[in-house]
Amino acid sequence: MAKTAKARFLQEFPDALANEAGAVFIGAGVSMGAGYPSWVELLKDIGEELGVGSSDIHDLAALAQWSIQENGGATRVRNVLKEQIGKNHDVPESLRIIARLPVRHIWTTNYDRLVERAFEAIDRPIDPISGPKDLALRATPGAARFYKMHGSIDRLDEVVISTDDYELYRSTRGAYLPLLQAHLTSMSMLFVGLSFTDPNVRHVLSLIRECFTEAPPEHFAIVRPPQKGDYKTEEEFKARSAQHRLWAKDLRRYGLVAVEIDDYDEVPELLRAVERRVAMNRVWVSGSWPTEPVDGEAVRIFAVAEGAGRAIGKLGRSLVSGAGLVVGSATISGFLDTLRAGGGWDLERRLIARPFPQPLAGHPANRAQWTALREELARLSGAVIFVGGAKTVDGAVVIADGVLEEARLAEAAGAFLLPVGATGGAAKQLADQLIGSDLECDGPGAQRPTDDELSALSNASSSVGDLVDLVGTILKRVGKTG
């Protein structure tokens, strides 16, 4: 069952993300893994002040409530939060990957700013919604929305921590609940680091249960079953394992599929697999060709690139492009033709363009910026088609070193390399290098066509139609194995 659940997760959740129907819920386990304290650790000193041990109290919200009552206010509790949660721990790899995923809605019960910092690190906009009044504000165009159900360290006077806060949640922060219910109803949500003991989360899950008694929407939760090393005796391990199996089975009543891992260190690896599978929905067409002279070779290059764009559109994939002259413009033209013919103009989702800034005459190009753009394009793409790849230097046509750099970056990112060698330039050089190379050519880890396919793609006598048809056939196969 565990393997089946993981396989389903790696197939279905990336598809949901690609269709903008995926959301993420981040629990305390993620923050604890980054170095922030658990609730028991957070309230340890407060418990000692009250003469009770926080580890002996099951209802930690009550412990915070007692402190507020004893001290005549929440200042002591808020100071503890400021001291313990106000620190900037390193952003964990799992959140850095989530920030790169095409997710538009993220939920959490955590107070820290790890998610915001993960987005800031890659200059991706995010709208933190840490108070119910923030829900009324207009969203920042292109930004992900981050719903902090229990408030944020930035606004300590509004955090949810005591019994009163939980009991009065529906009157003070209840606007979150119907929105969370709507997302759980209409999207596929991934739960990471969540124990499902939070009363508000359980309340929303119960609402889902009421609305869908037989076939609730399906979601995924990454969980770690008990391990022998966690317990002192075999009996305790067996008891905890039995409890876990029953708990995981019970989650199915709410449409939750438990994706089991042996160690929390596997979470980034699992999320990287999601990232690559999302990328398999996208194809980057890399290449270049001099705009002058417009001879038969330039016309052929344009036709192949345009045909590749059409093939990508027909397969339902998204196009990634640097939007350069000749190859870039031809690819986009062919891609748009297919979308028009299909009656769909879903450009915002399916066309990902990263134009390279061109310097004025006599000024050097910003090579570091170009490399950063190429790294991003490689990370976004599951497959890369190489068409041509040449430029003019002192009047002579030479291989474009930028296209070769793009090939190196794409290979490092795990992308499938598909050079159309018959178009010459860097594509021909790459095809010759890949024939007989150690890169896999079949199966889920394939990164290149077979030797026979590479030879066929390098046949200069092949027609444009034959080359494009073969590119489409290879892409279709890669999509299935990826």
Side-chain angles (χ1 to χ4, degrees), residues 261-312:
I261 56 175
D262 294 327
D263 193 276
Y264 291 119
D265 290 341
E266 296 177 33
V267 175
E269 180 182 349
L270 201 56
L271 291 174
R272 276 193 291 269
V274 170
E275 184 179 24
R276 289 313 303 164
R277 286 177 182 256
V278 170
M280 289 310 301
N281 288 294
R282 310 188 191 107
V283 182
W284 175 18
V285 180
S286 165
S288 62
W289 201 259
T291 56
E292 298 292 342
V294 181
D295 53 16
E297 191 61 31
V299 171
R300 179 178 168 83
I301 296 291
F302 188 95
V304 171
E306 190 174 42
R310 289 196 181 96
I312 293 166

Side-chain angles (χ1 to χ4, degrees), residues 106 115-117 119-120 124-128 140 142-146:
I106 304 175
V115 173
E116 293 96 315
R117 289 168 53 213
F119 274 69
E120 290 166 1
R124 182 180 175 188
I126 185 170
D127 280 342
T140 302
R145 304 211 89 189
F146 182 33

Side-chain angles (χ1 to χ4, degrees), residues 358-367:
Q358 301 296 321
L360 295 173
H363 292 75
N366 188 334
R367 299 294 177 184

Side-chain angles (χ1 to χ4, degrees), residues 120-432:
E120 290 166 1
I122 59 173
D123 294 324
R124 182 180 175 188
I126 185 170
D127 280 342
I129 312 296
S130 56
K133 293 181 181 179
D134 296 340
L135 289 167
L137 301 177
R138 290 182 179 177
T140 302
R145 304 211 89 189
F146 182 33
Y147 309 94
K148 305 186 83 167
M149 291 184 68
H150 288 179
S152 176
I153 190 64
D154 300 319
R155 291 153 69 170
L156 285 170
D157 58 325
E158 296 181 0
V159 297
V160 175
I161 193 170
S162 67
T163 303
D164 273 351
D165 296 328
Y166 279 96
E167 291 179 347
L168 300 176
Y169 192 92
R170 290 182 65 84
S171 61
T172 59
R173 304 175 72 86
Y176 283 99
L177 299 179
L179 185 57
L180 176 56
Q181 182 182 8
H183 285 181
L184 286 169
T185 301
S186 61
M187 298 183 182
S188 177
M189 189 169 291
L190 169 63
F191 292 87
V192 185
L194 203 71
S195 65
F196 299 99
T197 57
D198 185 274
N200 294 308
V201 175
R202 293 198 66 86
H203 169 69
V204 172
L205 290 177
S206 69
L207 292 178
I208 298 297
R209 175 73 174 148
E210 290 177 13
C211 296
F212 300 90
T213 55
E214 294 183 359
E218 288 197 324
H219 310 287
F220 298 94
I222 299 177
V223 298
R224 177 182 177 271
Q227 307 293 316
K228 280 189 176 182
D230 299 338
Y231 304 98
K232 295 180 181 180
T233 65
E234 181 72 18
E235 291 73 16
E236 185 179 7
F237 167 66
K238 288 182 178 179
R240 293 293 185 182
S241 296
Q243 180 182 347
H244 172 83
R245 285 194 297 272
L246 293 170
W247 172 78
K249 187 176 182 180
D250 187 55
L251 289 180
R252 295 293 295 146
R253 293 192 302 122
Y254 305 102
L256 280 159
V257 178
V259 181
E260 296 186 344
I261 56 175
D262 294 327
D263 193 276
Y264 291 119
D265 290 341
E266 296 177 33
V267 175
E269 180 182 349
L270 201 56
L271 291 174
R272 276 193 291 269
V274 170
E275 184 179 24
R276 289 313 303 164
R277 286 177 182 256
V278 170
M280 289 310 301
N281 288 294
R282 310 188 191 107
V283 182
W284 175 18
V285 180
S286 165
S288 62
W289 201 259
T291 56
E292 298 292 342
V294 181
D295 53 16
E297 191 61 31
V299 171
R300 179 178 168 83
I301 296 291
F302 188 95
V304 171
E306 190 174 42
R310 289 196 181 96
I312 293 166
K314 288 178 181 177
L315 288 171
R317 308 287 178 83
S318 297
L319 173 65
V320 177
S321 175
L325 297 175
V326 183
V327 171
S329 59
T331 304
I332 293 173
S333 174
F335 183 72
L336 294 182
D337 279 348
T338 301
L339 263 62
R340 291 191 192 99
W345 277 84
D346 193 7
L347 296 183
E348 181 181 350
R349 182 173 66 89
R350 293 186 59 192
L351 177 58
I352 303 170
R354 297 290 187 271
F356 283 63
Q358 301 296 321
L360 295 173
H363 292 75
N366 188 334
R367 299 294 177 184
Q369 185 181 27
W370 284 9
T371 295
L373 281 170
R374 287 173 173 135
E375 288 175 341
E376 182 183 3
L377 291 167
R379 176 177 55 76
L380 289 170
S381 309
V384 185
I385 302 172
F386 296 92
V387 178
K391 61 181 180 180
T392 303
V393 177
D394 297 328
V397 176
V398 300
I399 290 176
D401 50 357
V403 176
L404 296 178
E405 181 185 28
E406 290 168 2
R408 290 193 296 271
L409 293 171
E411 180 180 345
F416 187 92
L417 311 180
L418 208 170
V420 185
T423 57
K428 179 65 168 70
Q429 181 174 317
L430 290 170
D432 292 344

Side-chain angles (χ1 to χ4, degrees), residues 439-475:
L439 286 182
E440 295 185 33
C441 60
D442 57 19
Q447 279 195 269
R448 69 173 180 90
T450 65
D451 287 352
D452 287 344
E453 289 170 335
L454 286 168
S455 296
L457 288 169
S458 296
N459 186 350
S461 62
S462 295
S463 68
V464 169
D466 288 342
L467 293 173
V468 171
D469 287 346
L470 181 53
V471 166
T473 299
I474 294 171
L475 283 179

